[in-house]
Amino acid sequence: MTKFLEYGIYFLIFILPFQTRYFLVSNNINGQFWEYGSYTVYLSEAVLVLLLIAKLYSLIGNRKPIKIQKIVFLSLFFLIYIIGSNVWSVNKEISLFYTVRFVEIGLLIWLILTTQINKQKLFLVLMLSLFIQSCLGIWQFFIQEVYAVKWLGIAAQNPVNQGVAVVETHLRRFLRAYGGQPHPNIFGGWLLLGIWTTIFLYQERKQRIQMFLLLVAYSIFFITLVLTFSRSAWLGFVLVWVILLIGYKNWRFKISKLVIIKFLLITSLLSIILGVILREPLTERGNPLFLQPPEMNRLEAKSIQERQTGIKESIDIIKKYPWMGIGIGSYTFNLHILYLQEPVWRLQPVHSIFLLSWSEIGAIGMILLIIINLLLFWRFYQNKNLLGLALFFSFIPLASIDHYLWSLYSGLTLTAAAIVISIKNN
């Protein structure tokens, strides 16, 4: 049973980034599929349930006392609060779907952290999974098309079609790398996990062939990160490097100076090469940092306008339901009630986890969430866990200007994987 659980977890981590799923409950708005109001069962969920049954079976007769730490107690209380939000939710069916998701994520973290597994194997399995997705993402950008593969949960994407994530210049539309994810931004978040895991795994390697392979993996991850054209992931990547370089001499964490130099040189060299090759789309993608909305191209101006509208809508919801919120997962349904004739693509969660979670679970839930994150940060800091801190800071831009870490299964599993990798690093 111990071996079954160990290798079952390795398999679960490997398939976690893949989006193979079965549509259990499919809902529509105005005749169009509604992602945030539907419930789909992912392959990784089925594997998780199987492993949880095995774990519970292995605990039968185990009378070892369980020590509950503050962060565990608060996390349990947070899950109970989310379950309670079903009572006052504006749509109890959707809230039930999302409640199941959050409970699953909690059980996923518990399963991995309470099972004896090899940290190195866990890291390598995750990196192998992301390496496959990275190669797929590079190929997608190279051929400028994503072919549908239903067994991997990959939908067809063509840059000539509306709704596809592209970088539009005055000459052409560049398809952004999707990998096996629903959106390039989500792919960028997973790549950050792969990048920081690679660096800190490299520091523990002694054999040259292993070190060389890790350098190759980092290079592939970084190239793919650039090809996602995900500004939130780029900001997370830059933020951690700035912290590493500024605070290197003054902090108490151990990381080899040679390791920093090696990876910084690789990053600089690849940035120069990609900057020359992809000058047109990179320039266009960076323009919103410098140009005013009237000077931007159509897609960038539209994106900024949609985000501003989303912020206004979320603030209106928060003013109306400040303390308890509208119920977990009910944000897009609430928008549908307000704008009955709007198409489903218009009904998107606000691009900020802070505003989105406040809207859905209110100020009480937000306070709990902030305390849990601060305790997690403090644990990483006290334990000198530099990998945990790197992931924590790199996820700040993802949480600030995007919503998938809260609203989508792939984002929730990414959060769970980051927490597990960080804690297992100790």
Side-chain angles (χ1 to χ4, degrees):
M1 183 60 70
T2 301
K3 286 294 181 182
F4 175 78
L5 282 169
E6 180 184 356
Y7 285 91
I9 287 174
Y10 297 150
F11 178 68
L12 176 60
I13 286 293
F14 179 81
I15 65 173
L16 208 57
F18 292 93
Q19 303 301 301
T20 304
R21 58 178 176 167
Y22 175 77
F23 288 78
L24 188 64
V25 178
S26 182
N27 290 322
N28 298 284
I29 287 181
N30 297 330
Q32 296 175 309
F33 175 69
W34 180 26
E35 176 69 47
Y36 304 102
S38 301
Y39 189 78
T40 56
V41 180
Y42 289 79
L43 174 61
S44 55
E45 286 183 279
V47 175
L48 173 62
V49 171
L50 180 63
L51 291 175
L52 286 171
I53 294 173
K55 179 69 174 180
L56 293 175
Y57 178 78
S58 70
L59 292 176
I60 295 177
N62 185 356
R63 298 182 179 180
K64 184 179 179 180
I66 300 175
K67 182 181 179 181
I68 300 180
Q69 300 176 1
K70 289 181 181 179
I71 189 170
V72 177
F73 177 79
L74 281 173
S75 299
L76 288 172
F77 187 73
F78 179 69
L79 287 177
I80 293 172
Y81 179 80
I82 285 179
I83 295 172
S85 74
N86 285 258
V87 176
W88 60 82
S89 172
V90 296
N91 189 310
K92 292 179 173 54
E93 179 186 6
I94 296 175
S95 289
L96 178 61
F97 293 161
Y98 274 83
T99 299
V100 172
R101 286 273 189 264
F102 276 84
V103 171
E104 285 177 342
I105 295 305
L107 290 173
L108 170 63
I109 296 172
W110 169 79
L111 172 68
I112 299 178
L113 294 183
T114 58
T115 304
Q116 288 188 348
I117 55 178
N118 185 295
K119 181 189 80 171
Q120 308 291 339
K121 291 180 180 178
L122 183 72
F123 285 17
L124 290 172
V125 167
L126 174 66
M127 287 173 53
L128 177 60
S129 178
L130 294 177
F131 186 83
I132 294 172
Q133 294 227 2
S134 295
C135 293
L136 180 61
I138 293 173
W139 173 249
Q140 291 166 350
F141 184 81
F142 179 75
I143 65 173
Q144 281 296 291
E145 189 171 358
V146 177
Y147 293 113
V149 185
K150 70 174 184 177
W151 300 110
L152 297 179
I154 300 176
Q157 308 287 350
N158 192 305
V160 301
N161 299 328
Q162 290 186 347
V164 176
V166 299
V167 178
E168 186 178 79
T169 70
H170 63 287
L171 295 177
R172 59 183 71 86
R173 288 161 61 94
F174 290 88
L175 177 73
R176 297 163 60 187
Y178 275 75
Q181 299 300 316
H183 194 277
N185 287 351
I186 305 175
F187 191 23
W190 278 101
L191 289 169
L192 287 178
L193 178 58
I195 283 171
W196 301 124
T197 302
T198 302
I199 292 177
F200 290 98
L201 191 60
Y202 178 90
Q203 184 170 246
E204 299 177 1
R205 298 291 90 187
K206 301 300 181 184
Q207 297 181 7
R208 289 189 177 182
I209 183 63
Q210 294 179 349
M211 298 171 72
F212 172 76
L213 291 175
L214 288 171
L215 290 175
V216 172
Y218 175 85
S219 301
I220 295 297
F221 290 155
F222 176 73
I223 292 171
T224 316
L225 178 66
V226 173
L227 297 182
T228 64
F229 293 92
S230 171
R231 282 190 288 252
S232 58
W234 288 354
L235 286 173
F237 179 80
V238 172
L239 175 62
V240 175
W241 268 116
V242 169
I243 293 173
L244 280 173
L245 295 176
I246 292 178
Y248 174 74
K249 292 184 177 180
N250 301 318
W251 60 19
R252 45 204 281 259
F253 305 101
K254 294 182 179 179
I255 183 171
S256 168
K257 183 178 182 180
L258 184 60
V259 169
I260 290 182
I261 293 174
K262 282 183 181 179
F263 283 96
L264 190 59
L265 285 175
I266 292 174
T267 304
S268 302
L269 179 61
L270 290 176
S271 297
I272 293 172
I273 295 173
L274 293 173
V276 173
I277 297 174
L278 304 174
R279 179 180 178 182
E280 184 182 338
L282 287 174
T283 301
E284 191 62 54
R285 194 65 174 159
N287 275 343
L289 299 174
F290 310 102
L291 299 180
Q292 298 299 318
E295 299 173 303
M296 296 177 195
N297 70 37
R298 178 182 60 87
L299 290 183
E300 295 293 354
K302 180 182 177 182
S303 175
I304 291 178
Q305 183 181 13
E306 289 176 349
R307 289 172 183 268
Q308 291 173 341
T309 301
I311 292 173
K312 181 180 181 300
E313 291 169 345
S314 65
I315 292 175
D316 290 340
I317 293 175
I318 290 170
K319 287 180 178 178
K320 192 173 181 180
Y321 307 92
W323 294 106
M324 307 297 283
I326 57 177
I328 188 73
S330 298
Y331 188 90
T332 56
F333 176 79
N334 191 78
L335 290 183
H336 173 57
I337 296 301
L338 296 174
Y339 312 105
L340 290 174
Q341 302 305 318
E342 291 287 350
V344 70
W345 58 264
R346 165 67 178 79
L347 309 176
Q348 296 292 318
V350 59
H351 284 71
S352 169
I353 285 182
F354 306 106
L355 292 175
L356 179 58
S357 58
W358 194 348
S359 301
E360 292 188 348
I361 59 176
I364 297 175
M366 264 290 295
I367 292 171
L368 285 172
L369 191 61
I370 291 172
I371 293 174
I372 291 171
N373 277 278
L374 289 177
L375 287 175
L376 199 60
F377 168 80
W378 185 244
R379 176 171 181 163
F380 294 155
Y381 181 80
Q382 280 190 317
N383 294 338
K384 302 180 182 180
N385 189 340
L386 193 52
L387 174 56
L389 290 172
L391 289 171
F392 184 89
F393 283 111
S394 64
F395 274 40
I396 289 177
L398 308 186
S400 301
I401 58 178
D402 224 321
H403 59 76
Y404 61 83
L405 292 178
W406 179 273
S407 61
L408 292 173
Y409 176 77
S410 53
L412 289 171
T413 52
L414 169 59
T415 303
I419 292 173
V420 166
I421 292 295
S422 298
I423 296 178
K424 280 291 183 183
N425 186 52
N426 279 341

